[in-house]
Amino acid sequence: MVASLAWAWGSLYSKHRDKPAAPMLNAAMQSFAGGVVLLMAAALTENSTDSILPLSPTRSWLALLYLIAFGSGIGFSAYVFLLEKSTPARVGTYAFVNPVVALFLGGLLLPSP
């Protein structure tokens, strides 16, 4: 719930604040800040991936790389770019479109055995 409220507040705030000239720099700064917050939350809750990551199968690593490239890299950059060009309410419709696109791509790229 807190994450959803923070995302909505951040979207509204970023629409009306002074931004860097480059939208990609804006996306990178937001991603970096989110990563720092998640690292602090993991440290506070004593979550560790030391015992999980070595046991992960190759398919899991490929899924993680896909999420990094398309979810974070392309998807978030597109979100920040659209936020510059349109209203937050219109851009917020990504929440309805992204799951459909993810299911389509998942079925296309990784058909069931």
Side-chain angles (χ1 to χ4, degrees):
M1 185 70 146
V2 172
S4 296
L5 290 173
W7 184 273
W9 179 83
S11 294
L12 292 171
Y13 174 75
S14 69
K15 181 74 177 169
H16 302 290
R17 69 168 177 83
D18 293 335
K19 294 173 256 327
M24 292 301 285
L25 177 60
N26 190 15
M29 290 185 334
Q30 290 182 38
S31 294
F32 180 74
V36 168
V37 169
L38 288 174
L39 282 174
M40 290 187 305
L44 290 173
T45 59
E46 298 179 4
N47 284 333
S48 174
T49 58
D50 295 340
S51 61
I52 298 171
L53 291 180
L55 303 176
S56 299
T58 303
R59 193 170 180 162
S60 297
W61 285 104
L62 292 174
L64 179 63
L65 291 174
Y66 170 82
L67 288 173
I68 290 169
F70 290 97
S72 296
I74 296 171
F76 189 65
S77 299
Y79 178 81
V80 170
F81 174 78
L82 287 174
L83 200 54
E84 298 279 326
K85 305 294 181 193
S86 188
T87 65
R90 188 174 293 154
V91 175
T93 59
Y94 80 92
F96 304 109
V97 176
N98 284 3
V100 175
V101 172
L103 287 173
F104 176 75
L105 286 176
L108 185 68
L109 297 175
L110 297 171
S112 58

